[in-house]
Amino acid sequence: MSRGPIEPGSSADGPRPAGRSTLRDVAKLAGVSIATASKALNNQPQVRAETRAKVIQAAEALSFSPNTLAQGLITQRSGTVGLLTSDLEGRFSIPILMGAEDAFGSDQTSVFLCDARGDNLRERHHLRALLSRRVDGLIVVGARPDARPSLGELPVPVIYAYSPSDNPADLSLVTDNVGGGRLAVDHLIRHGRRRIAHITGDPSYGAAQDRARGALDRLAQEGLPLAGDQVWFGAWSEAWGRGATRMLLQRDPGIDAIFAGSDEIARGVLDVLHQEKLAVPAQVAVIGFDNWNILAVNARPPLTTIDMNLEELGRLAAQRLFAAIDGTLGSGIETIGPRLITRESTAPLD
Amino acid sequence: MSRGPIEPGSSADGPRPAGRSTLRDVAKLAGVSIATASKALNNQPQVRAETRAKVIQAAEALSFSPNTLAQGLITQRSGTVGLLTSDLEGRFSIPILMGAEDAFGSDQTSVFLCDARGDNLRERHHLRALLSRRVDGLIVVGARPDARPSLGELPVPVIYAYSPSDNPADLSLVTDNVGGGRLAVDHLIRHGRRRIAHITGDPSYGAAQDRARGALDRLAQEGLPLAGDQVWFGAWSEAWGRGATRMLLQRDPGIDAIFAGSDEIARGVLDVLHQEKLAVPAQVAVIGFDNWNILAVNARPPLTTIDMNLEELGRLAAQRLFAAIDGTLGSGIETIGPRLITRESTAPLD
DNA sequence: CGGAAGACCGAAAAGGTTTTCAGGAACGTA
DNA sequence: TACGTTCCTGAAAACCTTTTCGGTCTTCCG
């Protein structure tokens, strides 16, 4: 590893590792001024084609790459954004992050990733650091889909993704859980199911409430009752999926479909249905929520599920942020529509 | 959102959003020179306590935060590192990332996250961008635990994590898969199991080979044969876990333990064992690999498994990088020991 | 041939900070 | 009083790039 100071003048030591020559070196090698070198490399018009070629050649010979820090200092734009998440290990931040990374072409914008781990203090800390780094904008991804405290007035635009800000003056992008619930039940109804039950997670989650609401909406629209007499709220775990399914079957053995509030729960549901020798999807259809691949694809049978389009959400957040950086930022809550992923756990009844 | 140019001079407009006042403003308000202000805020000794207090107070009044870009320009150190991963959605990058984030206190160092998605071109691209941003170092996380091409000579230190570099002159940090295999079998043996089989994933993965080797080692040491007559290589999926278990039970119905090469496979194994009414762990113990929480904890029964200590690996990578930034970098391959996570799927035989 | 227009190029300022070095004030000593 | 110390403070250079603006050179027209 050749590190340490390298004399910029000594150009006779062969191809050196990229990244440490300056514009001055390039200019000197090309026999022009620094100003001209800059203009040549940035496709400014006031430079002769021949001169430009000389400069470009010199830049390549030195494998010059401009110092983004210095550029940022002048242009007052760092070309970076901060992504402040609260649960990195959670499966929600990651797709959003990927979408965002995707939307900022890597040429223009790089992403600082910061995980606050749900600690408020750590969040303030990260925020300070990011502002100090002069990020051009911020995307805040919460840990759960309920409102979170606003960061308040900042010198850069902020977009809240997944968890909306509690301040309606901020711009938040969230998934449409009501729509997702509706979509799930709609799918079951279209495939001939009539006795549909709903098992879901922690009732303190807005998402659980919303999905249930969407499901009930769609049932009501069709004039169908909810099978099992109630929404089975509990926990976001396979164990609860198993437990609830057992209780549900006791209460109402004749169900022909179960809408699970998450893929985890759906796995538990499937487990008990197998045990009870109820064929899926022939006798009972099962639909999950989240499209968490590892769970949904590996299920037996593979799980039909609702995908919240988190990547799309990330992409959109990036776009909105980009637009806001040199325009003005909107406000309010924008929702992203969910998407049905059809696999084998639901199928038309004969 | 109040954005756009804010006059730095106009200080009478109340508490303004943090982040846009400069050292000059602070100096002016405190009635000292820029140089003195800088020294006061950086705890340089050559400034009177009284003056320092004045400066600090002024800085707080303006909610001054130093421009890191400018600092980096001078100190030749940006306080950033790049984390170049190849599979963000993969479960391996994330814990490593968290460990790294953890080790760099957020005060000092921020992390640029870049996902190349297995595309070589995109990787070069990201690399250019990161060098242009003058990152102080680089951590490269591969997609699978086999050797990957070195990035070559770069002007900053590089650490390869998870996937070692193919150039022994680079420093690579990897998990000890042989040790993991040995640890798994050791655990089973200690708990009285004698007829131990091994079902694992894609044989083209070095990790699969290594884990198998570790397992066989430990068996040989004990003078035990491998139950099932062979290592069952296949795919890293539940489906293969199920299929292999069925074949295995046909070949050798008397096994009392199965070591699965991943938690995914282990889930498949458990599934079939239930179906065949073989009690876990009473009749057959099952141990997985990866400690992928969502799979291991939710399993029935919860899965004993091997944790590769990826967070620790990330932390260590960060430490090594940090040390390398102003020292010189080591080389070769360093391994991180795995850790046994005991849950209910293994238990002593009576 | 004189002059104007146009095409290129370079000097210099700016961006915000750190650091060096020289100067000034206060103080003690001869 | 004159001088040497010790402490503080401030001017200025440096980091690397972009951009403005003035200057030089060529070319073309009258």
Side-chain angles (χ1 to χ4, degrees):
Chain A
M1 220 56 297
S2 106
R3 295 190 62 252
I6 299 173
E7 294 305 322
S10 64
S11 55
D13 48 16
R16 109 177 35 137
R20 289 316 177 211
S21 47
T22 79
L23 193 54
R24 183 170 38 207
D25 303 330
V26 174
K28 201 189 299 177
L29 181 58
V32 299
S33 77
I34 295 183
T36 305
S38 171
K39 282 179 274 197
L41 293 176
N42 292 326
N43 287 320
Q44 296 286 94
Q46 333 104 324
V47 49
R48 203 169 22 166
E50 187 190 345
T51 316
R52 188 189 307 280
K54 247 188 337 191
V55 172
I56 290 178
Q57 194 186 344
E60 279 177 0
L62 297 174
S63 59
F64 167 77
S65 83
N67 186 325
T68 317
L69 275 62
Q71 286 180 317
L73 203 51
I74 299 198
T75 61
Q76 301 286 53
R77 188 148 301 179
S78 66
T80 60
V81 306
L83 202 148
L84 196 49
T85 160
S86 284
D87 82 320
L88 197 44
E89 64 184 323
R91 57 194 174 290
F92 303 116
S93 318
I94 305 303
I96 294 175
L97 203 159
M98 292 192 62
E101 231 233 343
D102 195 28
F104 302 122
S106 66
D107 303 326
Q108 306 303 331
T109 309
S110 300
V111 178
F112 281 119
L113 180 69
C114 299
D115 183 10
R117 297 181 205 182
D119 179 354
N120 213 293
L121 191 67
R122 207 184 318 235
E123 183 172 284
R124 304 305 307 176
H125 226 71
H126 275 133
L127 185 59
R128 275 196 80 76
L130 288 172
L131 290 177
S132 217
R133 295 225 130 83
R134 295 301 186 270
V135 291
D136 296 330
L138 231 41
I139 298 180
V140 178
V141 181
R144 45 181 279 185
D146 294 298
R148 52 148 289 148
S150 170
L151 291 177
E153 192 88 344
L154 292 181
V156 293
V158 183
I159 308 249
Y160 296 81
Y162 195 60
S163 304
S165 160
D166 61 4
N167 181 352
D170 295 328
L171 177 58
S172 304
L173 269 43
V174 303
T175 58
D176 178 8
N177 282 300
V178 178
R182 205 179 288 125
L183 187 56
V185 169
D186 179 72
H187 173 72
L188 295 172
I189 289 176
R190 286 163 171 279
H191 284 39
R193 309 293 168 159
R194 289 292 174 272
R195 316 189 61 172
I196 302 172
H198 183 31
I199 299 174
T200 190
D202 188 334
S204 79
Y205 277 61
Q209 300 290 349
D210 289 347
R211 291 169 195 175
R213 187 139 45 84
L216 292 174
D217 262 20
R218 186 64 186 81
L219 283 173
Q221 191 181 332
E222 205 74 12
L224 290 173
L226 179 66
D229 299 337
Q230 55 160 293
V231 175
W232 297 78
F233 288 103
W236 302 108
S237 70
E238 286 191 42
W240 166 244
R242 290 191 290 261
T245 305
R246 279 194 210 95
M247 291 191 282
L248 174 64
L249 287 175
Q250 251 176 357
R251 169 96 52 106
D252 188 344
I255 55 166
D256 59 14
I258 298 179
F259 165 32
S262 77
D263 289 344
E264 248 176 303
I265 292 176
R267 287 292 298 249
V269 169
L270 285 177
D271 209 355
V272 170
L273 291 178
H274 280 148
Q275 215 171 299
E276 301 295 325
K277 305 277 188 241
L278 287 166
V280 178
Q283 292 173 271
V284 181
V286 176
I287 187 168
F289 209 106
D290 290 344
N291 192 27
W292 198 353
N293 251 292
I294 184 66
L295 294 178
V297 171
N298 276 317
R300 194 170 43 143
L303 199 57
T304 295
T305 188
I306 304 293
D307 186 310
M308 291 191 284
N309 274 334
L310 290 173
E311 278 201 40
E312 180 60 25
L313 194 152
R315 242 189 312 273
L316 195 63
Q319 282 165 12
R320 289 277 181 282
L321 189 57
F322 217 69
I325 284 174
D326 32 25
T328 181
L329 187 56
S331 65
I333 297 188
E334 206 171 325
T335 54
I336 310 293
R339 190 165 43 117
L340 177 74
I341 306 292
T342 314
R343 297 203 183 85
E344 302 164 32
S345 71
T346 58
L349 276 186
D350 309 323
Chain B
M1 216 63 289
S2 106
R3 297 191 59 250
I6 298 172
E7 293 307 319
S10 66
S11 55
D13 48 18
R16 111 175 35 137
R20 292 315 178 211
S21 48
T22 78
L23 192 54
R24 182 166 44 199
D25 303 330
V26 175
K28 200 189 298 179
L29 181 59
V32 300
S33 75
I34 296 184
T36 305
S38 171
K39 280 178 275 199
L41 293 176
N42 294 324
N43 287 321
Q44 296 285 97
Q46 333 103 321
V47 49
R48 201 167 27 160
E50 187 190 343
T51 313
R52 186 189 308 280
K54 247 189 336 190
V55 173
I56 289 177
Q57 194 186 344
E60 278 176 1
L62 297 174
S63 60
F64 167 77
S65 83
N67 185 325
T68 319
L69 275 60
Q71 286 180 317
L73 203 52
I74 300 199
T75 60
Q76 301 285 53
R77 188 150 299 180
S78 66
T80 61
V81 305
L83 201 146
L84 196 49
T85 157
S86 285
D87 83 320
L88 196 45
E89 65 183 323
R91 56 196 175 289
F92 303 116
S93 318
I94 305 302
I96 294 176
L97 203 159
M98 293 191 63
E101 232 233 340
D102 195 30
F104 302 122
S106 66
D107 302 325
Q108 305 304 331
T109 308
S110 299
V111 179
F112 281 119
L113 180 68
C114 300
D115 183 8
R117 297 179 206 183
D119 179 354
N120 213 291
L121 190 67
R122 209 186 314 240
E123 183 172 285
R124 305 306 305 180
H125 227 71
H126 275 133
L127 185 59
R128 276 196 81 75
L130 289 171
L131 290 178
S132 217
R133 293 224 132 82
R134 296 300 187 268
V135 291
D136 296 332
L138 231 40
I139 298 180
V140 178
V141 181
R144 46 181 281 184
D146 294 296
R148 53 147 289 150
S150 171
L151 291 178
E153 192 89 344
L154 292 181
V156 294
V158 182
I159 308 247
Y160 296 81
Y162 195 59
S163 304
S165 159
D166 61 3
N167 180 353
D170 296 327
L171 177 58
S172 305
L173 268 46
V174 301
T175 58
D176 180 8
N177 283 300
V178 177
R182 203 179 287 124
L183 187 57
V185 169
D186 179 73
H187 173 70
L188 295 173
I189 288 175
R190 285 163 173 280
H191 284 39
R193 309 294 168 158
R194 287 294 173 270
R195 314 187 62 173
I196 301 172
H198 182 31
I199 299 174
T200 190
D202 188 333
S204 80
Y205 278 60
Q209 299 291 346
D210 288 348
R211 290 168 195 177
R213 187 140 44 84
L216 291 174
D217 262 22
R218 184 65 184 81
L219 284 173
Q221 191 181 333
E222 205 76 10
L224 290 174
L226 178 66
D229 299 338
Q230 54 160 298
V231 175
W232 298 77
F233 288 104
W236 303 108
S237 71
E238 286 192 39
W240 167 245
R242 290 191 289 260
T245 307
R246 281 194 208 97
M247 292 191 280
L248 173 63
L249 288 175
Q250 251 177 356
R251 170 97 51 107
D252 188 344
I255 54 166
D256 59 13
I258 297 179
F259 165 32
S262 78
D263 289 345
E264 249 176 304
I265 292 175
R267 287 293 297 249
V269 169
L270 285 177
D271 209 355
V272 170
L273 291 177
H274 280 149
Q275 214 172 299
E276 301 295 325
K277 306 274 187 242
L278 288 165
V280 178
Q283 292 173 271
V284 182
V286 176
I287 186 168
F289 209 106
D290 290 343
N291 192 26
W292 196 355
N293 251 291
I294 183 66
L295 294 179
V297 171
N298 275 318
R300 194 170 43 144
L303 201 57
T304 294
T305 188
I306 304 294
D307 186 309
M308 291 190 285
N309 273 334
L310 290 173
E311 279 202 42
E312 180 59 25
L313 193 152
R315 245 191 310 275
L316 196 63
Q319 283 165 12
R320 290 278 181 281
L321 189 58
F322 215 70
I325 284 174
D326 33 27
T328 181
L329 185 56
S331 65
I333 296 187
E334 204 170 326
T335 53
I336 310 294
R339 189 165 47 114
L340 178 74
I341 306 292
T342 313
R343 298 205 182 85
E344 300 164 32
S345 70
T346 57
L349 276 186
D350 307 322

